[in-house]
Amino acid sequence: FPVVQIVTFENGPCTAASGETGTCYSQKECSNEGGSASGTCANGFGVCCVLTATCDGKASVNGTYFTNPGYPGTYMVPGMCMLELIPPPGVSIEISQKTKLKPGSGTEERLSVAFVC
């Protein structure tokens, strides 16, 4: 009889090859979540999955990066960029607000948060 090995591991944080923080998933789980595999974890049984969302997108997985549409390049289009946050039941959302003035450009990046219940 063939031997079948079942491997389980925690979907915990990992450091991606890119240096970003990701979540350790199987290749299939990462693909199903729409993430990008960047390096391995769980002794090579998992991939470090980096999840990103951009304008008019949705984020329902902890640790998702909210990026501009041209990331990692700059995005110079003025206007509003919205993201729908969908937390699982019983989970609160913590957001760090950041405003940054780009040196010499006279432009400002601003994150504003509005909750619709």
Side-chain angles (χ1 to χ4, degrees):
F1 293 104
V3 176
V4 176
Q5 183 180 11
I6 298 173
V7 177
T8 60
F9 52 88
E10 182 182 349
N11 295 129
C14 56
T15 302
S18 61
E20 296 171 303
T21 299
T23 303
C24 190
Y25 284 133
S26 69
Q27 180 70 49
K28 184 176 181 179
E29 286 173 313
C30 184
S31 180
N32 288 347
E33 292 291 349
S36 299
S38 179
T40 62
C41 54
N43 294 321
F45 290 105
V47 295
C48 193
C49 186
V50 178
L51 299 162
T52 59
T54 190
C55 299
D56 299 320
K58 295 180 181 184
S60 60
V61 178
N62 189 28
T64 300
Y65 286 90
F66 180 38
T67 63
N68 72 56
Y71 181 80
T74 57
Y75 184 66
M76 301 300 290
V77 179
M80 194 175 350
C81 181
M82 297 178 66
L83 174 72
E84 182 178 354
L85 300 176
I86 308 167
V91 174
S92 61
I93 298 174
E94 180 181 320
I95 297 177
S96 301
Q97 187 168 348
K98 178 176 130 179
T99 302
K100 179 175 78 173
L101 184 64
K102 293 183 180 179
S105 70
T107 62
E108 189 176 299
E109 293 178 352
R110 184 178 305 260
L111 172 65
S112 297
V113 179
F115 291 97
V116 179
C117 299

